[in-house]
Amino acid sequence: MSKIQAEDIRNLAIIGHSGEGKTSVCEAILFNGRSTDRLGKVPDGNTVTDYDEQEIARKMSISLSVAYTEWEGAKINLLDVPGFYDFEGEMNEALRAAGGALIVMGANGTVTVGAEKAIAICQRAQLPMVIFINGMDKDNADYAGTVAALKQNYAGKIAPIQIPIMQGQKMIGYINAIKEKAYRFSDAGLQEIPIPEDMLPTLKEMQDSLTETAAENDDALLDKYFSEGALTRDEIVHGIRKGIYNVNTIPVMAGSALQNKGIINLMDEIVKYMPKAKERREMVATDLMKDELTGVSCEEDGPFAAQVFKTVVDPFVGKLNIMKVFRGMLRSGSTVYNATTGKSERISQIYLLKGKKQEPVSELGAGDIGAVNKLISTNTGDTLCDENAKVKFDAIHFPRPVYSMAVYADKKGEEDKIFGGLNKLSEEDYTFTVEKNADTGEMILSGQGETHLDVINKKLKAKFNVSAALRTPRIAYRETIRKIVQAEGKHKKQSGGHGQYGHCKIRFEPFDGDFEFAEEVVGGSVPKQYIPAVEKGLRECLPSGVLAGYPVTGLRAVLYDGSYHDVDSSEMAFKLAAAIAFKEGLKNAQPTLLEPIMRLKIRIPEAYLGDIMGDMNKRRGRILGIDMAEGMQIVNAEAPQSELSKYATDLRSMTQGRGRFIAEFERYDEVPAAESEKIVRARQAENN
């Protein structure tokens, strides 16, 4: 395509609830813009933006995908974002590059959770948005009810700019309130028709509302409206554009992406109303030359500055870094500076993307989105810039992992291949982690939910041809004692020649710490040269307690007496004697299990507070306090780690996807007797 200016670029993130038709909207836009020659369908697995094997198999988006088309002299960059909860990090990546959001929601008479969250995110980020009510071809479509629900939730912001023409329950056309024209859908496209007489009052009401909305967004227009009682069509468009830019106005349109009805109108309004790339607010960055904050605006002739917002890793093709150019021009063959790593990178080939299709170009200008391959030290979130104008953008925020499983190789000996593959996948997905649990020895894969980890596991098989099994992680229980005891350990063995003799008496005490060794030997009953062997023998016993074989903590051991033999005593004999004393002493010291306790911050709407508190009690948890932030209840609680393995899934179920939480290790607490017996029996069965 020919060189395009930032003035003519619209960067849109397509967001909303899972299953509402975001990918279908993208497909229809691409088809209408002649970027594709056929209208793909998600059920058929042939859409541009859902091209991954798992996306096709699951019939849902799992990864951010980029495509573009041209319409009415503008380039529209589409960022198709998964709507499922487990892939929230993809939305954060998209919103870093987008200049506006297209929120797709169903015509079901309510505001879905995904739409609710999408609008809230855009409001916090001050990101202009437009709502498209999809599925108007369905028998139960309720446009009026959906708009009413939106107006109730977002009073004073919702601005429908078209009126659907219905036949029964289905949308057969629409009236454009600003153009004052009516259109009917037909096989040949849009057919202009007279405005139905019975809809003229509704049209007049909507025009009055749009005029008031436009006036409220501009002081000069407000003065004119008060003095003259009317605005021109251009003034109404200007006022609405200004309201959209300031996130005071959210226009609403409707149609059916699957039937490609209402999409052309949507595209017209995107070009007309949504902010141009050049109009995006300044991006805050750190000027590395001056060590101060600075604003980076969309200047086409300024020094180059871009940020990688998405990385795609392919074991055969390599790594593809997708970036948004915020300032200046990126050219093939140039050298740029990575302000995040401090290294220079050579730009070989630049691409424009249409899903998996890569179109080579020689340059990428300010406000545009494209991709570069073969960068050595560049990853998601990194800033690339001119070496003589070093700036660094803030890192992209990613949600913390909340759901964990242990990873095992299906085939023995493939562990290294699995973890090598997971490390590669972590370059394109920053919302999961892989680390070894020092207490259990298991490799733990942590992500956003069951579906997320299942996707990662299947990607391992598809991309790296290695199979992994995911299992519930072991809990890192520990053992301790509750009373002071004295124990004697004697190791005596005679087998010809020198024998073996070690004898020690040790007092075991509960201790506020991990482990401490002390000695109170008097009279040389245990020679000094053997005392370190006693301590070593005890420390070697700590990893396996007497109750269920879990590591021992909270123990103080005091060597206070013993005996030795001039010839037969040795360090080994005293080590073995200490081990005997350890096992004997801990059995009689009321051993007990300890479990890890997690500190939780649970963020929920107030309506779910009772359910969350009741559920926490069932999990042996306790509520520490409740705060409020941004209209949400923040529940501070503690609960045993063993009760939280499925909490991410359960919390979503209880709150219809509106709840979130983070958990951090707090301390170890004693396990209740009934629970302790179950754990010991399970451990014994496992060992047998």
Side-chain angles (χ1 to χ4, degrees):
M1 63 179 291
S2 58
K3 184 178 178 181
I4 193 161
Q5 305 296 317
E7 178 79 13
D8 300 318
I9 297 173
R10 310 290 188 274
N11 294 312
L12 282 185
I14 318 300
I15 58 179
H17 201 78
S18 181
E20 300 286 19
K22 296 181 297 299
T23 298
S24 297
V25 169
C26 288
E27 193 68 18
I29 290 174
L30 294 171
F31 176 73
N32 292 332
R34 301 184 184 278
S35 290
T36 59
D37 55 9
R38 53 105 176 95
L39 186 64
K41 290 182 170 61
V42 172
D44 296 341
N46 58 0
T47 63
V48 172
T49 55
D50 278 2
Y51 58 85
D52 183 87
E53 286 181 15
Q54 288 196 67
E55 291 178 318
I56 294 170
R58 295 171 185 268
K59 296 177 171 47
M60 62 181 272
S61 301
I62 62 174
S63 184
L64 168 64
S65 185
V66 179
Y68 78 92
T69 195
E70 295 182 73
W71 188 255
E72 298 295 328
K75 180 187 181 191
I76 304 174
N77 285 319
L78 302 171
L79 305 168
D80 186 12
V81 181
F84 194 70
Y85 309 112
D86 286 15
F87 308 109
E88 184 181 333
E90 306 291 318
M91 182 188 292
N92 295 357
E93 292 174 335
L95 295 188
R96 178 57 59 93
L102 171 58
I103 298 172
V104 180
M105 59 185 294
N108 50 22
T110 63
V111 180
T112 55
V113 177
E116 183 183 297
K117 292 171 74 173
I119 293 171
I121 288 170
C122 290
Q123 288 178 324
R124 285 198 300 271
Q126 282 292 288
L127 192 70
M129 65 192 108
V130 58
I131 293 174
F132 182 74
I133 299 176
N134 191 29
M136 291 297 294
D137 57 311
K138 297 179 180 177
D139 290 337
N140 59 349
D142 183 4
Y143 174 81
T146 306
V147 170
L150 284 166
K151 286 184 173 180
Q152 183 177 351
N153 284 24
Y154 309 100
K157 290 184 178 292
I158 301 301
I161 59 177
Q162 69 178 34
I163 307 167
I165 300 174
M166 309 295 291
Q167 189 174 76
Q169 294 293 318
K170 292 189 178 182
M171 180 179 176
I172 62 168
Y174 63 88
I175 302 171
N176 186 305
I178 296 177
K179 290 181 179 179
E180 292 188 60
K181 290 184 178 180
Y183 302 91
R184 184 183 182 94
F185 301 131
S186 69
D187 293 339
L190 284 177
Q191 176 188 353
E192 188 174 344
I193 60 173
I195 297 174
E197 289 288 332
D198 62 334
M199 299 188 73
L200 288 173
T202 305
L203 172 61
K204 178 66 167 62
E205 183 182 335
M206 182 176 286
Q207 286 176 324
D208 290 343
S209 176
L210 288 172
T211 302
E212 290 178 13
T213 298
E216 288 169 358
N217 288 310
D218 187 287
D219 290 340
L221 294 180
L222 189 61
D223 290 341
K224 181 180 178 183
Y225 180 65
F226 280 143
S227 62
E228 300 180 17
L231 298 175
T232 67
R233 186 177 299 168
D234 288 344
E235 288 170 337
I236 292 172
V237 170
H238 171 77
I240 292 173
R241 279 197 89 246
K242 195 167 182 180
I244 293 171
Y245 181 81
N246 293 319
V247 201
N248 291 325
T249 301
I250 308 174
V252 179
M253 282 162 274
S256 167
L258 204 58
Q259 302 294 329
N260 195 14
K261 293 178 178 178
I263 301 298
I264 287 178
N265 182 50
L266 172 65
M267 296 168 71
D268 288 340
E269 308 304 349
I270 285 171
V271 173
K272 181 187 295 182
Y273 291 111
M274 294 306 284
K276 305 165 184 175
K278 196 170 184 66
E279 295 173 333
R280 175 164 176 161
R281 292 175 177 84
E282 284 189 337
M283 281 289 293
V284 176
T286 301
D287 186 329
L288 301 181
M289 316 290 276
K290 300 178 180 177
D291 193 24
E292 63 184 23
L293 292 178
T294 186
V296 175
S297 56
C298 189
E299 302 169 1
E300 291 163 297
D301 56 353
F304 171 70
Q307 186 171 30
V308 174
F309 65 88
K310 176 69 181 174
T311 300
V312 179
V313 176
D314 187 286
F316 304 107
V317 178
K319 188 165 64 174
L320 190 71
N321 296 117
I322 307 172
M323 66 184 68
K324 163 77 176 289
V325 178
F326 288 105
R327 185 179 66 192
M329 184 74 68
L330 179 67
R331 293 183 174 86
S332 294
S334 62
T335 299
V336 298
Y337 179 75
N338 186 322
T340 306
T341 63
K343 297 180 180 179
S344 294
E345 292 274 22
R346 175 80 172 172
I347 303 299
S348 54
Q349 181 61 64
I350 304 170
Y351 299 99
L352 298 181
L353 300 179
K354 286 181 183 172
K356 65 180 178 181
K357 183 181 177 183
Q358 301 168 11
E359 300 177 353
V361 292
S362 59
E363 59 185 24
L364 194 67
D368 212 350
I369 290 171
V372 177
N373 65 355
K374 298 182 180 179
L375 298 185
I376 299 170
S377 305
T378 298
N379 296 296
T380 301
D382 287 3
T383 300
L384 299 176
C385 60
D386 190 313
E387 194 146 10
N388 297 315
K390 295 177 181 176
V391 294
K392 182 181 176 184
F393 297 113
D394 290 342
I396 299 171
H397 168 74
F398 292 99
R400 293 189 196 180
V402 294
Y403 184 87
S404 299
M405 295 290 280
V407 186
Y408 289 85
D410 271 349
K411 294 180 182 178
K412 195 171 182 180
E414 289 192 338
E415 288 82 4
D416 288 345
K417 285 181 68 176
I418 285 175
F419 300 123
L422 288 172
N423 285 332
K424 283 288 184 186
L425 290 177
S426 69
E427 294 181 26
E428 65 178 17
D429 185 352
Y430 279 27
T431 63
F432 81 86
T433 59
V434 185
E435 57 186 11
K436 186 172 184 177
N437 186 307
D439 293 312
T440 65
E442 290 182 310
M443 293 300 295
I444 303 298
L445 175 64
S446 301
Q448 303 303 311
E450 293 178 71
T451 301
H452 187 207
L453 297 197
D454 187 53
V455 164
I456 292 169
N457 194 18
K458 285 184 168 58
K459 279 188 177 182
L460 270 178
K461 179 65 177 175
K463 292 190 174 187
F464 302 99
N465 195 31
V466 61
S467 296
L470 301 181
R471 304 176 190 170
T472 301
R474 297 180 187 139
I475 303 298
Y477 293 108
R478 296 192 180 178
E479 298 183 20
T480 192
I481 62 172
R482 287 180 289 188
K483 76 172 189 178
I484 300 174
V485 296
Q486 294 180 346
E488 182 176 1
K490 181 179 288 187
H491 176 71
K492 184 177 182 181
K493 190 174 183 181
Q494 191 71 40
S495 57
H498 287 301
Q500 297 179 33
Y501 183 85
H503 176 217
C504 56
K505 296 180 180 180
I506 301 173
R507 183 171 70 250
F508 296 98
E509 308 169 353
F511 174 61
D512 186 17
D514 191 15
F515 175 73
E516 182 179 86
F517 175 79
E519 59 93 4
E520 298 173 356
V521 177
V522 293
S525 57
V526 177
K528 289 190 178 297
Q529 66 265 32
Y530 296 136
I531 292 176
V534 173
E535 179 180 359
K536 188 174 182 182
L538 293 173
R539 288 190 180 276
E540 289 180 355
C541 291
L542 291 175
S544 182
V546 298
L547 197 58
Y550 289 108
V552 176
T553 189
L555 181 67
R556 186 170 189 265
V558 182
L559 174 65
Y560 66 90
D561 200 3
S563 61
Y564 72 101
H565 188 279
D566 288 334
V567 176
D568 292 344
S569 287
S570 65
E571 290 184 2
M572 180 57 70
F574 272 96
K575 271 181 61 178
L576 295 172
I580 294 169
F582 179 90
K583 292 175 183 176
E584 186 64 29
L586 264 63
K587 284 180 184 177
N588 301 319
Q590 291 184 5
T592 186
L593 281 182
L594 299 176
E595 63 182 343
I597 303 296
M598 308 301 286
R599 179 77 173 255
L600 295 99
K601 274 189 179 293
I602 311 165
R603 190 174 188 271
I604 53 168
E606 187 173 4
Y608 303 102
L609 188 57
D611 293 339
I612 297 306
M613 294 175 71
D615 177 75
M616 193 50 57
N617 288 331
K618 293 177 185 175
R619 296 175 189 272
R620 298 191 287 120
R622 66 189 186 104
I623 307 298
L624 303 177
I626 301 172
D627 302 318
M628 192 165 181
E630 298 178 345
M632 301 286 276
Q633 298 290 325
I634 310 298
V635 179
N636 297 291
E638 289 180 346
Q641 185 183 16
S642 60
E643 302 286 345
L644 300 174
S645 62
K646 305 287 185 183
Y647 192 63
T649 304
D650 295 341
L651 179 64
R652 285 174 185 165
S653 177
M654 287 186 288
T655 64
Q656 298 181 346
R658 292 177 172 89
R660 306 180 59 169
F661 82 102
I662 56 173
E664 294 179 341
F665 173 75
E666 180 70 12
R667 65 181 183 280
Y668 273 89
D669 266 0
E670 190 172 324
V671 179
E675 294 294 325
S676 180
E677 290 175 10
K678 294 179 189 175
I679 295 166
V680 171
R681 284 199 300 270
R683 181 75 164 182
Q684 289 171 345
E686 182 183 315
N687 292 335
N688 292 334

